Amino acid sequence: FLKPEFLLKLNEELKSAKYFVKGPANQQNYEVLDVKSLSKSSDVAKLLNILASKQFFHLLHEYTELDLLENRIELQRWKGGCYTLIGDPSTYANDSLDLIFYIGNNEHVGIVNYLTPEDSEDSDDESVLLTVYPQNNSLNLVYRSAGTANFMKYCYKSTIMDDEFNYIIVCSYKE
């Protein structure tokens, strides 16, 4: 998706950036980039601004024919012990377009599952509709209809070295 030299610059910048832990622990545990700590000339800030720009909304409209009005964007840093859980039904009550962009080489860190929780309560069938596996420098678009939840699988501490991270840009665009 991105040119290798730009991706390398991003990776270096992300290593020295500031993060905070996002909780509460009964819902999620991962680190989020402190966007306010970035300089305006930061390559990471430029990329995040592009993903929130009118031009990018227009590009997504060209690809999907969706009229997107708003977005939520977050750059996450994942390591051993990170996870998200399925929230209450209000967190997946609306249609949205999810963008997931991976920066990192560990293919076991940041696996995203999409499922319909209400359907899986009464059924022994496999409830996972889609699984997105991490791949460095890959951008994934997933249309999530109302009633479809997503979560990132728990990352075992033995899966990734203590000083190694996967960075994941997660955007949810609403119609």
Side-chain angles (χ1 to χ4, degrees), residues 1-12:
F1 181 71
L2 297 175
K3 291 183 177 183
E5 55 276 359
F6 185 72
L7 187 65
L8 186 62
K9 285 173 56 177
L10 280 180
N11 211 349
E12 289 304 312

Side-chain angles (χ1 to χ4, degrees), residues 29 34 38 45 56 67 79 96 116 143 145 152 156 158 166:
N29 179 44
D34 181 3
L38 298 175
F56 197 74
D67 293 320
K79 60 183 180 179
S96 69
T116 51
Y143 183 75
S145 59
M152 288 196 193
Y156 291 99
S158 61
N166 266 17

Side-chain angles (χ1 to χ4, degrees), residues 89-100:
S90 68
T91 62
Y92 51 88
N94 299 314
D95 298 342
S96 69
L97 181 68
D98 292 345
L99 178 146
I100 307 161

